[in-house]
Every structure is written in structure tokens, then in C-alpha cells.
Amino acid sequence: MNGVWGVARHSSRHPEAPARAGVSKDARTVDEAFRRHGTEALATLIRLVGDFDLAEEGLQEAFAAAAVAWRDAPPANPRAWLITVGRRRALDQLRRRIAFRARQDQLEAEAEIEHQAAPEDVDEAAAAFGDDDLLRLVFTCCHPALSLEAQVALTLRTVCSLSTAQVARAFLVSEETMAQRLVRAKAKIRAAGIPYRTPPRELLDERIQGVLAVIYLVFTEAYAGDPRQSLAAEAIGLARRLAALLPGRGAVQGLLALMLLHEARRPARWNAAGDLVLLEDQDRALWDAGMIAEGLALVEPALKAQTPPSPYAVQAAIAALHGQARTAAETDWRQIVSLYAVLMRLSPSPVIELNHAAALAMVDGPAAGLRMVEALTARGSLAGYDALPATRADLLRRLGRAGDARTAYEEALRLARHDPERRFFRRRLAELEAR
């Protein structure tokens, strides 16, 4: 991820947050239960009832019931209570469907749910991880039989607790369009018989990579261009959950460290007007020191967890070098260039090669970086990617080739997807015109 882009916002609630009539202690109790147990309870209900929509409806009704039932005293185990009541309400929904449609397959579904073990009181520490039901849900949402777009949308809606309207805004589509996409994705899960379980051991590592790719896409893409509306918090929260559920996995630790170290720079990445501030110009006193410390602590274990290291761990090591530099001048660019060379061997891609070129320019000068960028441009592998002409323009500007730089900035402006980027390129063009 380019060090210039990316910001954060906290998630909203899901399936539909329990209504709060005022701010009474009862409402706060239900609201706290929603924040602490909502996602895990939904994950367990999906396993028990075998249907996303039934589980969501059952949980929503369970929270409505809790607003009344918990007035005298909340239960000792709110999560188990919610799952038990939600399961009963889902069964009621199914019975109503059966009475209306009289379908044999739904009778069989009811029998299957009845045979599922209802949750008993469970240890709160175990409940915090949803008895692995959350992990099952993550792997179901990120199943390779679904399109990448559907995987991201389902993950945001079901695991990250965003409303349908919020997911729609992330994809820049109407709420109705997104609702239809989610319905189709859930129907695909039912029709294809996608199992609600973690993959077998021999496929686990491969499937984890798919889950991590979805999380990173959420972090880097959704609302990346608006400092007020990012999904970084959702992505980081999901990575933290995975790290707790799958401890000691270098790829998971590496991705979490990478996102934390990038997100720590968010307060300095945008000025008061919402314009981009380049890494070398940022006020590092504004960086989140706690987030940097958390990310740094994960980098070494991530690098040592497997041989060769995960590409996410190597990217995190690069971000760590930026995070440790007290000033831009103190950045260890030679080490960064070396790490990019390692990354190119582990996971070669045109984007990594472009970042490698930018780092090389900081060590051997802009001409050296430009040669790599020109080779990338000639291959056409990054056609349509605004960071390519933007990097080329910066190197040409540093070499004093104002005319060529202006042409490259104009191309970057044409390709830019977000207003902050467009304003940045216009500022650069104005600076060149003023020379």
C-alpha cells in the first residue's frame, strides 16, 4: 500500500442495531451486549440454522426481546441468552414459512435445526472467540466460489457489522443494488452448498491467503480517498480477530502489523482541508505512537513464523522502517530497497516493482528510479493505474524535466479516482506552471 493513501473510521452496528429509547441503563446494557457479542452470536446462529437471513432475523428479534427481558437484570451469559432466543425466533420464522408454503424441504430444515445443539453457559474467554463460529463465518464469506466483490460485501455486512447502506456507500452503489448483490451472494452459498466450516487442514493455508486478500482489499480500497470515511478500522479489527483465532501465523501477524503501521500515520496524512500530505512532509508528532508500537511488536514474530517469510511480513518490515525514523532524513532507504528486492522474489508484481523503483530513487537518485519506471511503462502492465504516472512525474520533476513532468501529472490527474488525489496533482501542476 502506498504510504500516501489510507485513513480510518469506526464501524457501525449490525444486523440492525437495537433501538435505544433514551440512554437508560437498560438500553446501555443491551447496546453493550450488541457491541461485545453481536457478531459472534450471529456467526453461531448461522451455523445452527444454516441460513444467513434466518439467523439475522432471529438475532434482531432476540435483541428486541432483550430490551424488555433484561430490565430487571441481564443474564449471566448474554451471548448464550441471545443465541438461545435467536435460535427459537429463527425456528418460529421457519414455522411461519412452513405454514404459509407447506414445503417439505423447510420441514426437513426445521428438524435439522432442532437437532443442532443449543448453546449452554460457556466460559466468557471462550465465548470471546465465538467458539470458532466466527472463523467459520469468515471462511464462508470469503469462499473462492464467490466473486471477490461478493466476498468483500458479505464480509463487510456480516463480519464487520456494517449496514447494507454503509456497504453500498463503500462500493459507490445504491442501497437497493447492494441489497440485491447480498441476496444473490447468500443464494449462491445455499445453491452451491458452500459448507459453513473452516477448510480442512490441507487447504487451510491456501484459504487463509484468500481471506487476508479480502481484508487487505477492504483496508486499501473502500473509501480510500476520503479521510472521513475509511474502512481501515473494520479491516484491522478483523485481522485482530484472525490473529487471536489463528495464533502464530506469519501472514496474519504480518498483515495486521502492516495495516497498523500504515494506519498510525493517518492523523498526519491529511491537512485540515482534507488534502494529502506526502510522507516526507508529515508532522511525525501526529503519528499514533501506540499503534506503531503494536505494529512493531508484531513484525519480528511475523518474519520468523515461517520460511520464507510471508510477503505481508516483509511489507510490514518496510513500513516499520518508516515508522521508526524520527525524521524523513533518517529513513533507512538502503534497507527498504533490500526488502523490496526480497519482496520481488517472494511475490513479484508490477505494483511492488513500482514501489521498489521509488525507493531506489531515494538511494541512487531519481534517474535510477526513472529507468525502472520507464521499463514498467513500456510493458503496459500498470496501464490505468494513477500511481504509475504520478511516480514518473515526481521523478521527472526532481530531474528538472518540467515539461515531461507536466504531461505525466496530467495523466495522473486524468486517472485519479478520488478528490484528494486530484487536488494534489493540480497543486503540482500549478507549481510547475509557476516556475
Side-chain angles (χ1 to χ4, degrees), residues 19 42 194-195 237 242 276 431:
L42 178 63
I194 294 174
L242 279 181
L276 292 172
E431 291 167 3

Side-chain angles (χ1 to χ4, degrees), residues 35-36 72 87 309 316 344 360 380 417 425:
R35 286 194 297 270
R36 290 190 59 194
D72 294 331
R87 175 176 171 273
M344 280 298 296
L360 184 67
R417 295 176 298 163
F425 296 140

Side-chain angles (χ1 to χ4, degrees), residues 177-256:
T177 297
M178 180 50 64
Q180 292 171 351
R181 289 183 186 177
L182 290 168
V183 167
R184 287 196 295 270
K186 294 172 186 177
K188 176 70 176 289
I189 289 173
R190 288 192 295 270
I194 294 174
Y196 180 73
R197 61 177 175 83
T198 53
R201 182 176 298 275
E202 64 271 17
L203 297 178
L204 186 59
D205 288 339
E206 176 185 340
R207 291 287 304 282
I208 285 174
Q209 292 305 315
V211 171
L212 296 181
V214 169
I215 294 173
Y216 197 36
L217 183 63
V218 169
F219 183 78
T220 57
E221 292 299 324
Y223 279 129
D226 189 334
R228 299 162 301 175
Q229 300 185 87
S230 163
L231 298 173
E234 285 81 359
I236 289 172
L238 185 51
R240 282 198 176 107
R241 290 172 185 260
L242 279 181
L245 292 166
L246 299 169
R249 290 188 173 271
V252 179
Q253 292 174 317
L255 178 58
L256 177 56

Side-chain angles (χ1 to χ4, degrees), residues 142-412:
C142 298
H143 196 279
L146 300 173
S147 69
L148 183 58
E149 181 182 74
Q151 291 178 42
V152 174
L154 264 184
T155 300
L156 291 175
R157 175 71 179 97
T158 310
V159 183
C160 295
S161 302
L162 269 66
S163 68
T164 301
Q166 289 170 314
V167 179
R169 286 197 294 272
F171 281 85
L172 303 178
V173 299
S174 70
E175 183 175 355
E176 181 182 359
T177 297
M178 180 50 64
Q180 292 171 351
R181 289 183 186 177
L182 290 168
V183 167
R184 287 196 295 270
K186 294 172 186 177
K188 176 70 176 289
I189 289 173
R190 288 192 295 270
I194 294 174
Y196 180 73
R197 61 177 175 83
T198 53
R201 182 176 298 275
E202 64 271 17
L203 297 178
L204 186 59
D205 288 339
E206 176 185 340
R207 291 287 304 282
I208 285 174
Q209 292 305 315
V211 171
L212 296 181
V214 169
I215 294 173
Y216 197 36
L217 183 63
V218 169
F219 183 78
T220 57
E221 292 299 324
Y223 279 129
D226 189 334
R228 299 162 301 175
Q229 300 185 87
S230 163
L231 298 173
E234 285 81 359
I236 289 172
L238 185 51
R240 282 198 176 107
R241 290 172 185 260
L242 279 181
L245 292 166
L246 299 169
R249 290 188 173 271
V252 179
Q253 292 174 317
L255 178 58
L256 177 56
L258 174 63
M259 294 190 297
L260 286 167
L261 290 165
H262 277 300
E263 181 60 13
R265 302 200 296 260
R266 179 191 62 81
R269 194 176 294 138
W270 314 89
N271 64 19
D275 291 328
L276 292 172
V277 180
L278 295 182
L279 180 58
E280 59 264 29
D281 299 324
Q282 290 175 13
D283 180 356
R284 299 184 179 219
L286 297 176
W287 290 1
D288 188 321
M291 198 172 282
I292 288 175
E294 183 183 357
L296 291 176
L298 289 167
V299 172
E300 186 172 354
L303 289 169
K304 292 181 176 179
Q306 62 190 67
T307 303
S310 161
Y312 290 121
V314 178
Q315 291 180 75
I318 293 170
L321 290 171
H322 287 297
Q324 290 171 317
R326 292 174 299 178
T327 66
E330 293 181 20
T331 304
D332 189 348
W333 284 107
R334 290 191 181 278
Q335 182 68 5
I336 289 173
V337 168
S338 297
L339 286 170
Y340 271 122
V342 171
L343 197 54
M344 280 298 296
R345 291 196 295 273
L346 292 174
S347 181
S349 79
V351 173
I352 291 172
E353 190 173 351
L354 179 63
N355 290 334
H356 190 187
L360 184 67
M362 300 301 294
V363 175
D364 294 340
L370 183 60
R371 284 193 291 272
M372 289 185 66
V373 171
E374 298 287 21
L376 265 173
T377 303
R379 293 205 301 270
S381 50
L382 287 178
Y385 183 48
D386 64 331
L388 177 63
T391 302
R392 184 170 178 270
D394 181 65
L395 296 174
L396 290 165
R397 179 185 62 84
R398 288 160 58 186
L399 288 168
R401 294 169 55 181
D404 292 334
R406 187 179 301 110
T407 300
Y409 276 126
E410 288 170 349
E411 182 183 358

